[in-house]
Each structure stands twice: as structure tokens, then as C-alpha cells.
Amino acid sequence: MSENLNVVSLVVSLVAVLISVVSARQQASDTRRSNLLLFVSEMDKTSRSPAFLESKDWILNSLADHDPALGVTGLPRPAREHIYLVGGFYQQLGALVVTGVIDEDAAVAMHYHGIKVTWRALDPYVRAERERREAMGGGGFYGSFEHLAVYVENTPHAVIGARFPRRKFATPAD
């Protein structure tokens, strides 16, 4: 009888441990998701702020008035600030993707067009900046942003969008 009681106690203990482990893993996952949601919300606020939108507009419409050979640090102050705000945002987003903190498809789905058009505008300035830094023995520049841009350039929006299916209203019949 006592052996049976010991076996039952052992089984109950193992089940309790298993439930605790599963519960702890679920709590950790929920906490990570909650923290990520807060972070994504803050990034969304940044990318929709008037300063960000103004800087992005400036990059797309006025940056080409400056010589790309200047790189980024050789540009006058207002130009640099626009690039650092917008390029820095996409660099941070890319770093989160490269380090596995957020899913690449999700990040790209939210910022596909912005990544594409901003990278195209900044590309010659980034390349020149990298040359300047290499000449001084420095490191890279906006490598994680480029990582996202390469993916966007090589992956049609429809392919990424298909990974996140959405409901659509039926097209009205003519």
C-alpha cells in the first residue's frame, strides 16, 4: 500500500512540475509579446510623427540637391538630422530583425514602401559615408537598414502581403 502511495505521490509531483514548467514558459512568452507590442507601438508613433514625416519627405524630395560624395556626415546640419531621424529608425528596425527580436516579414509588412523609397534615396550617401569611415579606420553604416532594403527590393509586396492574409470587401458588380 505504501509503495502505491509513493508512486501516486511521485506521479502527482511530476505532473505538478510539468504544469509549472508549461505555465512559466507561457508566462514568459506572454510577457515577451506584451513588451514587443509596447515597443512596436512606440515605433509606430515615431514613424507617424510630424518630424519623421517631414524628414522623410525632405529625403525624398530635397536630398538629391546635395552631392552624394559628401556621404552623410559631410552634409549640412539640417540634411544630416533628417537622415539620422529616418535612416536611424529603419536602422533600428533592421537591427531588431537581424538580432531575431522581431519577425522580418512583420517588420517589412508594416514599413515596406518606406524602407524601399528611403533606401533608394539614401543609398549613394550611405555608400559614400561607408567609404569615408573605412578611410578613417571606422566601421559600417546603416548595415541593418540595408539588410531590410535588400529583402524589400528582392521580394514583391504581394509575396509579403500573402503571408498576412487580410479580409477584403467584394468588388461591386457592374
Side-chain angles (χ1 to χ4, degrees), residues 24 74 83 89 95 98-99 106 110 124 129-130 134-135:
I83 292 170
F89 172 83
V98 169
T99 58
M110 290 185 282
E129 183 63 28
R130 287 175 180 169
E134 285 174 21

Side-chain angles (χ1 to χ4, degrees), residues 66-130:
H66 296 279
D67 182 8
L70 296 171
V72 174
T73 54
L75 293 170
R77 187 173 197 166
R80 285 192 319 263
E81 290 172 355
H82 290 303
I83 292 170
Y84 289 147
L85 177 60
V86 178
F89 172 83
Y90 293 124
Q91 171 65 14
Q92 287 179 326
L93 185 64
L96 292 171
V97 166
V98 169
T99 58
V101 173
I102 61 175
D103 177 72
E104 184 168 47
D105 287 331
V108 168
M110 290 185 282
H111 297 284
Y112 186 93
H113 182 73
I115 293 165
K116 183 176 270 195
V117 298
T118 304
W119 181 262
R120 286 178 178 175
L122 292 180
D123 182 43
Y125 300 88
V126 170
R127 290 181 191 279
E129 183 63 28
R130 287 175 180 169

Side-chain angles (χ1 to χ4, degrees), residues 8-76:
V8 169
S9 294
L10 179 62
V11 168
V12 168
S13 295
L14 289 174
V15 168
V17 168
L18 181 63
I19 290 171
S20 294
V21 168
V22 169
S23 176
R25 290 185 76 186
Q26 184 62 44
Q27 279 184 321
S29 176
D30 290 347
T31 300
R32 183 173 186 264
R33 199 169 325 151
S34 175
N35 290 340
L36 185 56
L37 196 58
L38 180 63
F39 184 77
V40 167
S41 174
E42 286 301 314
M43 288 192 77
D44 185 58
K45 271 198 256 182
T46 298
S47 69
R48 295 178 192 278
S49 72
F52 183 90
L53 295 172
E54 180 182 324
S55 290
K56 186 174 162 191
D57 182 61
W58 187 91
I59 289 168
L60 299 178
N61 297 306
S62 302
L63 178 59
D65 296 341
H66 296 279
D67 182 8
L70 296 171
V72 174
T73 54
L75 293 170

